[in-house]
């Protein structure tokens, strides 16, 4: 899907040129047939209609691609290079399933020395020489070549091997920080060259942008004057204090200015100087929540930002651009965050590309800088209009009224990530045996002999060991997953609950049976993160809310831990024994059904 999007971008450029030529040709022919003296009005009309219809078709296609990615149609992908760049690629793909690629492992003969697995749960499966074997065993369909210690000639050979295997290949170019969407490829003989086209922030395009910003600000201030008056009166009546909140911010070229907002808080912060968590930007609710009822509504609807139209009119801000920061934090981030001062090449904005991409409040400052610089380096009128459209879409559904999270986005990007379990021995804290099919508890206390692990009750399941408080009760449904988090054992109650037999479930990814049901919750408590935490160590138990894939309204409590031998992941679905079966099997997915009692 990602490769298709990359190819689609170049096709869209060629298609745009073809549209211009076609519109002019059609206009000329129409004018000749109609006896018109000028083809300009007809050409403009045909060109405008064509662009509108093409834009609508592209929007529908993009929404379809994103929906497909969210529904789990993800392509297993290997990342060659386990360094910082490969780690960023995996994090981005995990955070944005709409790209359609699911990183399942790294290939690197000389990985970074900070452990066998990365924080988001993607393991190092081997070196580039193991590509063929690993690709076949993991059903890999896509390979991304990031930076690694391999020589360039070895990487060229690796690309050929991937092509021989029928795998799609994406290559991260060297000097990728200098490559934007305006770059073009041309050839000198058989040598491809990439022509870089930097964006001139002092050129006429940005001058036109700022002129349009000021005109739009004047019109908006005139049209919204009654709303300004109503909000001002409401703020004045809600609590004592000034209507307009003023704060020093850093603008273009590091110049400071006074930013305006409607006041949303009461009193003064007595909790001392606020310090954001490591790696995060300030914003949102800092310290004690001092918002009043009107302030909560203003922030949820973003109406507190309206006075910044005055900043735009004064030339201090733009409608769209990086959000301005306070001087004390800007100086701190400039010292510790690479590329932070590059954001000051343009005027700050009321909204920005980072904000519409989910980086609001106390989120990762490094990610925010990356998104802001991407907006500047790839600026175009199309990107400007897209940012504006995404801002309007977010305003129409209103923003979250909760205080901003205190953890960086980079820490909580493991939405579809599933931590693989290593071959380490089971901790000594595990002290209860149970059958992996019927859940029966054997009479013995000591560990059984290796050849005597078949359950005496059902004569089908193998005996497994887990911590007593995490082991399933005989009436609970549970699943056992292997190191790749594919189902290896399914209890008899899970068969009934999920409407799937153990033979049909074996060797299937657990995400084909269960997904996170806490859609309204934070990523920190998602099913994927619970799996990652539970398999990362055996000292803690973790709980999550899940639902069978393809169902809606079904919520099951799940406790997640490890079991063995060999070491595996145990998922126990907690449900009352009096509950009816929740599901019945229907093609192509599981659906909710009710049993009459």
């Amino acid at each position: 899907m990602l490769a298709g999007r990359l190819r689609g971008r170049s096709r869209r450029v060629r298609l745009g040129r073809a549209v211009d030529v076609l519109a002019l040709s059609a206009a000329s022919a129409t004018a000749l047939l109609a006896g018109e003296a000028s083809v300009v009005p007809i050409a403009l009309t045909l060109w405008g209609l064509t662009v509108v219809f093409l834009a609508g078709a592209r929007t529908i296609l993009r929404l379809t691609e994103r929906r497909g990615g969210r529904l789990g149609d993800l392509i297993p992908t290997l990342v060659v290079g386990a360094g910082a760049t490969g780690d960023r690629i995996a994090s981005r793909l995990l955070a944005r399933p709409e790209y359609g690629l699911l990183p399942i492992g790294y290939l690197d003969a000389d990985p970074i020395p900070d452990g066998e697995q990365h924080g988001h749960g993607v393991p190092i499966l081997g070196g580039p020489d193991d590509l063929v074997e690993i690709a076949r065993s993991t059903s890999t369909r896509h390979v991304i070549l990031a930076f690694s210690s391999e020589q360039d000639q070895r990487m060229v050979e690796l690309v050929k091997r991937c092509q021989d295997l029928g795998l799609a290949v994406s290559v991260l170019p060297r000097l990728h920080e200098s490559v934007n969407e305006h770059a073009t490829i041309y050839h000198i003989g058989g040598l491809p060259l990439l022509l870089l086209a930097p964006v001139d922030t002092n050129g006429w395009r940005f001058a036109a942008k700022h002129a349009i910003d000021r005109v739009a600000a004047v019109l908006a201030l005139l049209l919204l004057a009654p709303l300004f008056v109503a909000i001002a009166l409401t703020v004045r009546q809600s609590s004592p204090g000034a209507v307009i909140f003023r704060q020093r911010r850093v603008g273009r070229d590091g110049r400071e200015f006074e930013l305006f907002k409607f006041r949303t808080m009461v009193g003064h912060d007595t909790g001392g100087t606020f310090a954001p968590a490591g790696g995060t930007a300030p914003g949102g609710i800092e310290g004690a929540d001092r918002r009043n009822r009107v302030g909560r509504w203003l922030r949820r609807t973003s109406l507190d930002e309206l006075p910044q139209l005055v900043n735009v009119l004064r030339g201090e801000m733009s409608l769209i651009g990086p959000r301005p920061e306070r001087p004390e934090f800007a100086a701190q981030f400039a010292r510790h965050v690479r590329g932070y001062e590059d954001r000051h090449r343009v005027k700050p904005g009321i909204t920005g590309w980072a904000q519409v991409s989910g980086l609001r409040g106390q989120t990762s400052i490094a990610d925010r800088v990356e998104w802001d610089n991407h907006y500047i380096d790839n600026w175009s009128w199309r990107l400007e209009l897209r940012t504006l459209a995404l801002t309007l879409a977010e305003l129409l559904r209103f923003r979250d009224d909760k205080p901003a999270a205190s953890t960086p986005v980079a820490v909580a990007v493991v939405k579809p990530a599933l931590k693989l379990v290593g071959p380490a021995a089971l901790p000594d804290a595990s002290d209860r045996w149970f059958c992996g099919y019927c859940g029966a508890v054997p009479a013995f206390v000591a560990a059984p002999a290796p050849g005597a692990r078949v359950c005496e009750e059902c004569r089908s399941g193998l005996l497994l060991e887990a911590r007593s408080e995490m082991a399933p009760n005989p009436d609970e449904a549970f699943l056992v997953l292997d190191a790749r988090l594919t189902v290896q054992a399914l209890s008899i109650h899970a068969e009934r609950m999920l409407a799937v037999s153990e033979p049909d479930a074996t060797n299937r990814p657990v995400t084909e049976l269960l997904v996170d049901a806490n859609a309204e919750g934070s990523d920190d408590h998602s099913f994927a993160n619970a799996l990652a935490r539970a398999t990362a160590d055996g000292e803690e138990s973790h709980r999550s809310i899940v639902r069978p894939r393809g169902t809606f309204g079904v919520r099951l409590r799940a406790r997640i831990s490890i079991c063995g031998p060999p070491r595996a992941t145990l998922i126990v679905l907690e449900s009352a024994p009096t509950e009816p079966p929740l599901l019945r099997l229907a093609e192509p997915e599981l659906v909710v059904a009710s049993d009459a009692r």
Side-chain angles (χ1 to χ4, degrees):
M1 186 178 296
L2 178 61
R5 291 181 61 182
L6 295 176
R7 289 192 297 268
R9 182 175 294 124
S10 61
R11 285 198 298 266
R12 287 194 295 270
V13 173
R14 295 193 299 269
L15 183 59
R17 296 170 181 170
V19 167
D20 295 336
V21 174
L22 180 61
L24 290 174
S25 301
S28 302
T30 305
L32 290 175
L33 293 176
E36 295 287 342
S38 175
V39 300
V40 174
I42 300 177
L44 291 177
T45 301
L46 290 177
W47 180 83
L49 291 175
T50 305
V51 169
V52 169
F53 286 128
L54 283 176
R58 282 173 52 194
T59 301
I60 295 174
L61 179 60
R62 182 167 297 171
L63 292 175
T64 303
E65 289 179 348
R66 290 186 175 182
R67 178 174 174 81
R70 292 193 184 101
L71 291 178
D73 185 18
L74 302 177
I75 299 174
T77 303
L78 290 174
V79 179
V80 179
T85 304
D87 186 73
R88 287 172 61 192
I89 290 176
S91 298
R92 297 293 182 268
L93 294 179
L94 292 173
R96 296 177 174 272
E98 61 264 26
Y99 285 122
L101 302 181
L102 176 64
I104 59 175
Y106 296 101
L107 296 180
D108 200 324
D110 186 20
I112 54 179
D114 60 348
E116 186 175 321
Q117 296 176 347
H118 290 237
H120 46 64
V122 179
I124 299 172
L125 301 179
D129 292 336
D130 305 318
L131 172 66
V132 176
E133 179 181 352
I134 293 175
R136 289 174 178 170
S137 62
T138 59
S139 301
T140 297
R141 294 161 51 195
H142 197 111
V143 176
I144 297 177
L145 301 183
F147 301 152
S148 71
S149 58
E150 297 292 330
Q151 297 180 355
D152 290 346
Q153 185 58 38
R154 290 286 307 278
M155 300 299 285
V156 173
E157 295 174 358
L158 190 63
V159 171
K160 294 180 179 178
R161 293 172 64 187
C162 292
Q163 293 172 341
D164 292 339
L165 293 173
L167 305 178
V169 180
S170 298
V171 179
L172 181 70
R174 302 284 181 180
L175 306 177
H176 62 90
E177 296 92 343
S178 302
V179 179
N180 59 22
E181 294 182 356
H182 307 296
T184 56
I185 296 178
Y186 67 98
H187 292 79
I188 298 180
L191 298 176
L193 293 182
L194 193 64
L195 178 62
L196 303 182
V199 172
D200 183 9
T201 57
N202 295 314
W204 68 270
R205 289 181 176 84
F206 272 83
K209 164 182 161 61
H210 298 325
I212 293 174
D213 286 338
R214 290 191 174 187
V215 172
V218 170
L219 295 177
L221 288 171
L222 293 176
L223 293 175
L224 299 176
L227 180 60
F228 269 77
V229 174
I231 294 176
L233 293 175
T234 305
V235 172
R236 173 71 72 180
Q237 294 296 324
S238 64
S239 60
V243 172
I244 299 297
F245 172 74
R246 301 165 182 256
Q247 191 175 61
R248 299 297 294 177
R249 296 293 178 102
V250 178
R252 180 168 181 169
D253 298 327
R255 293 191 295 267
E256 295 185 14
F257 68 96
E258 204 167 48
L259 178 138
F260 303 131
K261 280 187 175 186
F262 282 120
R263 180 175 56 84
T264 60
M265 293 190 176
V266 296
H268 299 282
D269 188 4
T270 59
T273 303
F274 171 78
T280 63
I285 307 304
E286 301 174 354
D289 188 356
R290 297 180 291 112
R291 296 173 300 171
N292 55 26
R293 181 177 301 177
V294 174
R296 287 189 174 88
W297 177 74
L298 288 176
R299 289 206 177 191
R300 189 171 67 250
T301 57
S302 297
L303 292 177
D304 63 318
E305 311 280 359
L306 284 180
Q308 291 166 40
L309 290 170
V310 177
N311 292 116
V312 175
L313 186 59
R314 294 169 58 172
E316 299 163 335
M317 293 182 63
S318 178
L319 293 179
I320 299 174
R323 286 293 295 166
E325 191 53 81
R326 283 161 279 183
E328 61 272 22
F329 292 120
Q332 174 186 344
F333 296 148
R335 291 192 300 269
H336 301 291
V337 181
R338 180 181 178 184
Y340 181 82
E341 290 186 322
D342 292 341
R343 302 166 71 251
H344 298 152
R345 290 175 289 169
V346 298
K347 293 180 181 180
I350 298 178
T351 184
W353 183 244
Q355 280 64 45
V356 300
S357 300
L359 297 172
R360 297 171 45 247
Q362 296 170 30
T363 51
S364 169
I365 181 62
D367 287 349
R368 186 179 298 186
V369 168
E370 181 180 341
W371 260 255
D372 285 337
N373 285 326
H374 171 85
Y375 163 80
I376 299 172
D377 293 334
N378 296 274
W379 187 88
S380 65
W381 292 111
R382 182 174 65 88
L383 181 59
E384 192 84 351
L385 294 175
R386 183 181 178 188
T387 306
L388 181 61
L390 290 174
T391 300
L392 294 176
E394 191 169 349
L395 291 177
L396 290 176
R397 60 174 178 263
F398 291 172
R399 292 176 172 175
D400 192 5
D401 191 34
K402 299 177 182 178
S406 59
T407 54
V409 168
V411 175
V413 296
V414 284
K415 292 181 179 177
L418 299 177
K419 186 95 169 183
L420 300 188
V421 182
L426 198 66
D428 295 336
S430 302
D431 59 1
R432 178 175 156 196
W433 290 85
F434 61 94
C435 173
Y437 181 62
C438 69
V441 179
F444 59 81
V445 178
R453 286 184 51 207
V454 178
C455 175
E456 295 182 355
E457 294 287 336
C458 65
R459 298 291 181 181
S460 298
L462 295 178
L463 296 178
L464 301 172
E465 185 184 21
R467 290 173 53 180
S468 58
E469 69 273 18
M470 300 303 294
N473 297 320
D475 56 6
E476 288 182 321
F478 62 89
L479 305 87
V480 179
L481 316 177
D482 66 3
R484 300 189 184 282
L485 292 184
T486 57
V487 178
Q488 294 302 307
L490 191 72
S491 73
I492 186 172
H493 295 294
E495 286 183 319
R496 179 170 174 262
M497 179 177 292
L498 302 177
V500 60
S501 65
E502 186 179 39
D504 291 336
T506 302
N507 294 324
R508 289 174 60 182
V510 66
T511 50
E512 293 185 6
L513 301 179
L514 296 173
V515 294
D516 176 29
N518 241 357
E520 71 280 5
S522 66
D523 286 338
D524 189 52
H525 298 89
S526 71
F527 179 43
N529 271 314
L531 282 173
R533 290 192 298 269
T535 55
D537 58 78
E539 301 299 326
E540 301 178 8
S541 61
H542 301 278
R543 298 177 183 272
S544 184
I545 304 296
V546 301
R547 64 175 174 84
R549 176 173 287 281
T551 66
F552 298 92
V554 177
R555 297 170 61 85
L556 302 173
R557 294 186 302 273
R559 59 180 188 266
I560 306 166
S561 63
I562 60 174
C563 66
R567 182 182 171 101
T569 301
L570 173 66
I571 301 177
V572 180
L573 304 176
E574 300 177 353
S575 60
T578 57
E579 290 182 356
L582 296 175
L583 307 170
R584 287 293 180 266
L585 187 61
E587 296 296 339
E589 287 187 296
L590 300 176
V591 297
V592 179
S594 59
D595 277 353
R597 286 250 171 155

